Amino acid sequence: DAGVTQSPTHLIKTRGQQVTLRCSPKSGHDTVSWYQQALGQGPQFIFQYYEEEERQRGNFPDRFSGHQFPNYSSELNVNALLLGDSALYLCASVLSPNYGYTFGSGTRLTVV
Amino acid sequence: GNSVTQMEGPVTLSEEAFLTINCTYTATGYPSLFWYVQYPGEGLQLLLKATKADDKGSNKGFEATYRKETTSFHLEKGSVQVSDSAVYFCALIPINQAGTALIFGKGTTLSVSS
């Protein structure tokens, strides 16, 4: 059973560019969350999608946006990239939160 | 607000030593509590969880007990192995938020030598 799949695994972008990261949730999971993990820090919650709608949002600017598709997969878009957006972006999926989220291996974004 | 505080790392142990990583939380009511582990270059893996007071979560020799009176969820293992070297994150899901986002501590790095 495949877990959470994220793509790409690494990418390098230039300041001011836009980026799209993709996530396929674990089979049977319908809720997807995105987290940003800076080097040496704990993950910070960006937003959560359920039934194709953003259900909860963390303290991130509007440059960060997302989407969930009917098959529960999700995208994270970041516009006008800043150097400070360099981080590991983690996608997590769940059916029932108290069972614990399943995380993907992440996308390492470097902004130069 | 809701938050998680973990002991500062790194924690350096010899193989077969006893491990404790302290975690305390601030939250109203009874949040669900989790420990996640992150191996180098990988995402997070759920290690164990507890959803109500006095619950004990356990997995792979690791244990943690939900202590409401001390708002703590300390991670313990009786005998660590080199393969346990990783970063450990304590996390909670508050009950007083409109959603189920995880709130993480900053993580504690464990290094075990043979």
Side-chain angles (χ1 to χ4, degrees):
Chain A
D1 177 24
V4 176
T5 304
Q6 293 187 242
S7 63
T9 54
H10 298 83
L11 76 166
I12 300 173
K13 290 287 189 177
T14 303
R15 275 180 300 175
Q17 285 189 316
Q18 179 264 346
V19 68
T20 297
L21 311 182
R22 295 176 174 83
C23 172
S24 293
K26 182 176 179 178
S27 178
H29 288 182
D30 58 4
T31 301
V32 173
S33 298
W34 287 91
Y35 292 81
Q36 180 194 66
Q37 185 180 19
L39 200 61
Q41 300 296 315
Q44 297 293 312
F45 173 71
I46 303 175
F47 43 56
Q48 182 178 80
Y49 278 84
Y50 172 68
E51 292 187 336
E52 302 179 52
E53 291 190 8
E54 183 182 291
R55 299 292 180 165
Q56 188 181 2
R57 188 178 183 91
N59 189 26
F60 279 80
D62 292 344
R63 299 187 296 109
F64 289 76
S65 63
H67 189 77
Q68 185 179 36
F69 300 93
N71 66 353
Y72 307 126
S73 67
S74 178
E75 290 182 348
L76 163 65
N77 301 292
V78 187
N79 295 322
L81 285 166
L82 304 173
L83 295 179
D85 295 332
S86 296
L88 180 68
Y89 288 84
L90 295 165
C91 174
S93 71
V94 73
L95 180 60
S96 175
N98 281 341
Y99 287 106
Y101 283 82
T102 299
F103 280 79
S105 296
T107 295
R108 173 71 64 186
L109 172 64
T110 302
V111 182
V112 297
Chain B
N2 302 303
S3 66
V4 175
T5 302
Q6 291 182 235
M7 62 186 288
E8 297 271 338
V11 174
T12 304
L13 296 173
S14 298
E15 207 165 24
E16 299 183 2
F18 184 85
L19 168 71
T20 300
I21 299 178
N22 290 338
C23 170
T24 57
Y25 67 88
T26 300
T28 56
Y30 291 83
S32 295
L33 302 174
F34 304 86
W35 277 100
Y36 281 86
V37 59
Q38 187 174 35
Y39 297 101
E42 298 184 13
L44 278 69
Q45 298 177 22
L46 177 65
L47 184 58
L48 53 84
K49 62 180 175 66
T51 57
K52 60 183 187 293
D54 300 324
D55 266 2
K56 177 184 283 188
S58 62
N59 186 26
K60 300 180 181 180
F62 291 90
E63 293 183 340
T65 300
Y66 191 142
R67 300 287 189 199
K68 178 63 177 175
E69 63 276 12
T70 54
T71 62
S72 65
F73 194 54
H74 304 321
L75 182 68
E76 297 181 336
K77 187 176 186 184
S79 177
V80 295
Q81 305 300 312
V82 172
S83 58
D84 294 327
S85 298
V87 182
Y88 292 80
F89 292 95
C90 185
L92 64 84
I93 297 178
I95 62 166
N96 63 340
Q97 67 174 13
T100 59
L102 283 159
I103 296 173
F104 286 90
K106 292 186 176 181
T108 303
T109 299
L110 171 65
S111 178
V112 181
S113 58
S114 58

